[in-house]
Amino acid sequence: MSALGPLYVDGVALWAPSLPGWDVAAPALRGQAAAAPAASVPHRPAPALLAANERRRAPDGVLLALEVAAAAVADAGADAATLPSVFASAHGELAVTDAMCRTLADHPLLLSPTRFHHSVHNAASGYWAIAAGCHAASTALAAGPYSVAQGLLEAAAVALADDAPVLWVAGDSEACGPLASVNASRGLLAAALVLSPRPGPRSCWALALALVPDPAPPTAAASPAARALQANASAPLLPLFEALAGAGRADLQLAAGPQLGLALSLRPHVPARA
Amino acid sequence: MKRPAVIAPVTLRACALVSAAGHGLDALAQALRTSRSALRPNDLSFGDAPALAGWIGAVPGADGVALPAALALPAGPWPGRAVALAWLGLQADGFAGALQDAITRHGAHRVGLVLGTSASTIAVSEAAYRAPAADGGFPPPLREPRFNTLHALADFVQVATGLQGPCLTVSTACSSSAKAFATGERWLRLGLADAVVVGGVDALGASLLHGFHALGLVSPEPCRPFDATRRGISLSEAAGYALLERGRGGIELLGWGESNDAHHMSSPHPQGLGAEQALADALARAGLAAEAVDHVNLHGTASARNDEVEAALVARAYPAHTRCSATKGLTGHTMGAAGIVEALACVVALREGFVPGSAGTAAADPALGEAFGERLQLAPAAADPRIAVSHSFGFGGNNAVLVFGRGDRV
């Protein structure tokens, strides 16, 4: 009863400073090519959806989410204005949290209204909706170390409950300041999928999900490029994207709770000829 | 636009609440029946700043709550006011017992948890920044990753109750715990769980008080939703839960709608486009027309623009016989918990046969139009509501609308 799917993967995107885009990431996640050298890559993504002044002001998490959301939607050939979306992030905007806590400790009356509205967990969801002109449902969620699995499960549930495609985004940023003593997330990493309950012309994979009580340990990332990103709180997404970069069927397990797993079954799908 | 298909109702098997009105649903019901406001002048201050002007709602007894020692982590006991509220909520209305019963019937892996919060335990991190350890990091009793992240409250509730099903934190500002109902219904419909605890917890703290003050949205007086003299919101806190299960009976969740304004991060769509879409989807899932709605708990924050947009939506979407109440003058604005507090206001109104008034509001602002004024319920009144709707519209343009009904409605 706790199985969902299959859903069809219509669009794939991933961004990290060492893997700036799926074209670079896919071979690296297959272990075929080295990640981009650190010196040659931007520290933050620059999503084209935002105007230059908005890009300068936007926090890292918003930039990451918009970069991969736009890339996955383009890959799927989907209409950004109609897709419901699920944004999963374990910790949200860590740099904003650090700066806000610092101001509140020193001079609470100096807290800036912009910083406060950037601190809400649905900042990325809100900026995406505005940039995409999308009025469909959009959720922002967290589940600690299980945020990737619970976010993917929620996206699948949204798609199946309403029989409509959904955009799933997961990403986390780097803890800084005193917060870094209680938050181990480092670096930037985000990924996105467009998932559809029905196969379409761009569908390349069929993905089934199942909740598993008392699971075996989660699947570990295998490629050096993925292992180099393990310190990011969204790193649990990497084994799935290694499988999506490959060519064959894959069965994976993600940690979905203290005593709960999310089993993923990924099967290649050949789109029907139009 | 394509509307969603009708869904099967799910029953609210148990409910619990601690709010500024007191502990338990009865305390809220009593306050709603008499329009007794629970707001008081703000006396909370942080760092070097004086207490901000304004009125707040505070949960009585939230200071000095003693959690059972068995719930502590190796780093120490769970800190902070938000955790204390989450715990008090579980103890209210016999909810902890109802949860253990659900675990016995379904198994712990089949009982899910969806918790809405905006600020979660951020006050714990704020406290650590005010008094850091010698190494510049968090001081030892607070130096625990699980205490200092958005999911901390849901993590705590799982620890406190033994729930092992799917579990997530929804954080979409003021719509958070309304959206928890949507996720809970989907999980039940898709078979991911056999029972789901949905709810919301938010506690007063520096970030909320100073953040809303910085935005210029806090009223210096008790908030007066939809009144011509309204000057902004009154911040508050609460913890509430509902246990959802498949099947009929008691009070039922009939429908939900979610949408986004796609307009601005901190002000509503001028024509209420997103809010109207969420309402239309909620009614479509319930299989109802707006004519069937007896009672609406408005979002009604008492900020100038929000009330204006919502009043226009009410005037064009609902018939004249729908009674609309704004209850934040009584409970205050409980942020991420507003969805559950106001869902439970609908529950007590349906269960006990009355419509709440709009505490703090002397008269509807004439500028909001005659049609809205006719629909706004100023004083509580005996009635026989069978269908009630709750509006929740949040920052980031995030909207959720819930439809509830009495199981014995005809």
Side-chain angles (χ1 to χ4, degrees), chain B residues 7-406:
Chain B
I7 61 173
V10 297
T11 185
L12 277 63
R13 201 168 171 116
C15 303
L17 179 71
V18 292
S19 70
H23 293 210
L25 255 67
D26 281 349
L28 177 71
Q30 193 59 37
L32 288 171
R33 253 192 247 105
T34 56
S35 260
R36 177 176 54 78
S37 175
L39 301 177
R40 61 172 169 82
N42 178 35
D43 56 358
L44 303 176
S45 63
F46 307 92
D48 65 354
L52 295 168
W55 290 56
I56 57 167
V59 172
D63 296 315
V65 171
L67 303 176
L71 301 182
L73 299 186
W78 290 81
R81 189 175 178 94
V83 165
L85 294 184
W87 171 254
L88 290 175
L90 290 172
Q91 308 316 307
D93 297 295
F95 197 74
L99 261 188
Q100 291 314 308
D101 173 62
I103 289 173
T104 304
R105 284 182 290 120
H106 303 299
H109 283 106
R110 299 292 298 166
V111 185
L113 171 63
V114 190
L115 194 81
T117 186
S118 182
S120 188
T121 57
I122 188 71
V124 174
S125 304
E126 291 165 11
Y129 272 68
R130 284 193 292 270
D135 68 355
F138 280 29
L142 309 180
R143 198 166 178 143
E144 163 58 49
R146 288 170 68 185
F147 296 161
N148 292 283
T149 188
L150 188 63
H151 192 55
L153 294 175
D155 187 0
F156 168 76
V157 170
Q158 276 201 309
V159 168
T161 59
L163 299 183
Q164 291 170 20
C167 172
L168 59 82
T169 299
V170 178
S171 191
T172 53
C174 306
S175 62
S176 302
S177 55
K179 285 169 75 79
F181 281 87
T183 292
E185 188 280 324
R186 285 190 290 261
W187 286 1
L188 291 171
R189 182 152 37 115
L190 296 169
L192 293 172
D194 294 323
V196 183
V197 177
V198 298
V201 181
D202 254 321
L204 290 167
S207 63
L208 286 179
L209 285 160
H210 284 279
F212 280 97
H213 177 78
L215 284 162
L217 291 176
V218 177
S219 171
E221 302 147 356
C223 71
R224 293 193 288 262
F226 302 104
D227 197 294
T229 61
R230 68 189 182 277
R231 295 178 68 185
I233 69 175
S234 296
L235 289 160
S236 185
E237 60 183 7
Y241 306 99
L243 177 64
L244 304 184
E245 295 195 18
R246 284 183 286 271
R248 305 287 309 269
I251 305 297
E252 300 168 351
L253 172 68
L254 306 181
W256 47 265
E258 303 170 285
S259 72
N260 202 292
D261 277 353
H263 173 69
H264 191 272
M265 281 306 289
S266 58
S267 61
H269 188 282
Q271 279 82 47
L273 197 66
E276 184 154 19
Q277 182 176 322
L279 172 60
D281 281 5
L283 290 171
R285 286 194 176 86
L288 294 171
E291 282 65 33
V293 177
D294 301 308
H295 171 230
V296 179
N297 195 106
L298 299 164
H299 187 54
T301 61
S303 87
R305 288 291 293 142
N306 276 299
D307 284 7
E308 197 179 301
V309 170
E310 190 177 21
L313 169 65
V314 164
R316 68 180 183 270
Y318 292 104
H321 63 79
T322 301
R323 307 315 305 156
C324 299
S325 320
T327 51
K328 286 188 175 77
L330 187 153
T331 60
H333 191 346
T334 59
M335 306 292 116
I340 185 74
V341 170
E342 289 161 36
L344 295 179
C346 291
V347 167
V348 297
L350 290 167
R351 208 186 257 169
E352 301 188 12
F354 72 104
V355 288
S358 302
T361 305
D365 180 355
L368 301 175
E370 205 172 306
F372 174 72
E374 284 167 11
R375 288 158 179 75
L376 184 67
Q377 185 77 22
L378 290 172
D384 188 27
R386 282 139 200 256
I387 304 290
V389 168
S390 182
H391 292 174
S392 297
F393 309 136
F395 262 21
N398 205 293
N399 308 299
V401 172
L402 304 175
V403 184
F404 295 97
R406 256 170 42 196

